[in-house]
Amino acid sequence: VAVTGSLGKTTITRLLAQLLSSYKSQAGHGTCRVLMGGNVGIGMLDLIQHQDAGDIGVLELSSFQLEMNKKFAPDIAIWTNWYPNHLDWHGTAEDYFKAKSTLLLFQHEYQNAVLSIDLFKGEAADWINALLPQVKSTLNLCFVKKPTSTDLACINCEKFWAFYFDEQSFFVKAQVVNKQIQKQEQLCKIDRLPDITFMQNWVQIFTTVYLLKFDISLLGSFLTQTPLVLDDHHHRLERCASINGVDFYNDSKST
């Protein structure tokens, strides 16, 4: 599983790794050894020597790594969002987008792309729609709530799967064909989500757990009973000192 995006990729990587490593055993389906690396945890290349000790690898990948990608194709590619960033290196917003897009370009038809609907809004919308005809993997789009006809109209894809939370707090999978929802399936009941990240991130996490063929019927109750922890990320609003009544913060992530 590989995660990229302008914002939120560290959070999703950490939460997903925690969830996968503990949920399967709690649900009575054995253990799941998860290796987390890339931009967080073990360095991407250092992870190679540990790979035989894991069942699933969860990688956080930046545009700097993906720009060099010539063939890497994760079984599940998660793209959280896109905002202009790192233009001092990439030069243009479009080149930055192209670097991110290599996460999808080499996937095969039996692999999955998990994309946020946020990618289809704003400056990246035309680029992502131009990219979709080149993507061979199964397209899974994540919405916070049931997509509207306006949401579906902006997606240049004849057939894909949509995942979202409905009004009854169920996590739902729906098939979309020709910009119309054809059928819906309630996958699990979610009464309350831990208040540690955004709803959009949770949809992508739930979608990934489902695509990994975990039984997610108990996921809602699991999350109410099992605390997931996000460690403080250094350099992200990290308080350094208070001097003469002035608070100083290291905020290198203030994109």
Side-chain angles (χ1 to χ4, degrees):
V1 180
V3 185
T4 198
S6 300
L7 299 172
K9 56 184 178 292
T10 301
T11 296
I12 288 181
T13 301
R14 286 185 178 277
L15 287 179
L16 186 58
Q18 283 187 63
L19 184 56
L20 294 175
S21 63
S22 57
Y23 175 61
K24 196 169 186 178
S25 59
Q26 292 275 352
H29 298 293
T31 59
C32 180
R33 302 170 301 168
V34 179
L35 300 178
M36 182 180 71
N39 274 13
V40 62
I42 303 173
M44 183 173 62
L45 298 182
D46 292 332
L47 199 63
I48 293 174
Q49 61 185 311
H50 303 288
Q51 62 185 349
D52 291 338
D55 301 307
I56 296 175
V58 182
L59 296 179
E60 177 191 334
L61 300 181
S62 70
S63 59
F64 304 116
Q65 293 157 321
L66 291 171
E67 184 180 39
M68 308 296 179
N69 182 23
K70 303 302 180 187
K71 61 181 180 180
F72 172 67
D75 291 309
I76 299 177
I78 304 173
W79 193 345
T80 62
N81 48 45
W82 183 91
Y83 302 100
N85 203 351
H86 305 309
L87 301 189
D88 56 331
W89 174 262
H90 295 289
T92 68
E94 186 173 8
D95 284 340
Y96 171 56
F97 177 89
K98 287 179 179 177
K100 293 284 192 185
S101 70
T102 68
L103 189 66
L104 311 181
L105 285 179
F106 306 106
Q107 285 189 301
H108 304 292
E109 62 274 8
Y110 52 83
Q111 296 176 316
N112 283 278
V114 177
L115 307 182
S116 166
I117 184 58
D118 292 342
L119 289 166
F120 295 83
K121 302 174 182 178
E123 189 175 353
D126 290 341
W127 296 331
I128 192 70
N129 274 318
L131 174 69
L132 289 185
Q134 304 174 57
V135 177
K136 300 182 181 69
S137 54
T138 300
L139 184 61
N140 305 275
L141 288 187
C142 297
F143 305 79
V144 170
K145 56 185 179 181
K146 184 177 180 178
T148 65
S149 57
T150 302
D151 293 329
L152 299 177
C154 72
I155 301 163
N156 180 30
C157 187
E158 180 180 330
K159 184 178 180 181
F160 61 90
W161 296 98
F163 292 84
Y164 54 89
F165 295 113
D166 68 9
E167 295 176 353
Q168 290 77 44
S169 299
F170 279 95
F171 181 59
V172 176
K173 171 187 177 183
Q175 187 177 43
V176 178
V177 179
N178 294 325
K179 305 187 187 302
Q180 299 288 328
I181 293 179
Q182 300 295 320
K183 59 181 180 180
Q184 303 174 68
E185 178 185 358
Q186 293 178 333
L187 299 177
C188 61
K189 177 75 170 176
I190 309 296
D191 293 317
R192 182 175 59 85
L193 289 170
D195 188 21
I196 53 177
T197 190
F198 300 106
M199 287 289 288
Q200 182 62 256
N201 290 348
W202 281 120
V203 178
Q204 292 169 90
I205 289 169
F206 273 54
T207 300
T208 303
V209 174
Y210 172 80
L211 293 174
L212 286 168
K213 303 188 184 306
F214 280 45
D215 177 5
I216 69 168
S217 60
L218 302 175
L219 190 51
S221 58
F222 169 81
L223 287 173
T224 61
Q225 300 168 13
T226 307
L228 297 179
V229 179
L230 273 180
D231 297 332
D232 290 337
H233 304 322
H234 293 304
H235 316 302
R236 302 184 183 200
L237 281 176
E238 182 181 13
R239 187 171 181 272
C240 300
S242 181
I243 304 172
N244 294 330
V246 179
D247 294 327
F248 289 84
Y249 287 85
N250 180 349
D251 189 14
S252 69
K253 284 296 293 181
S254 57
T255 305

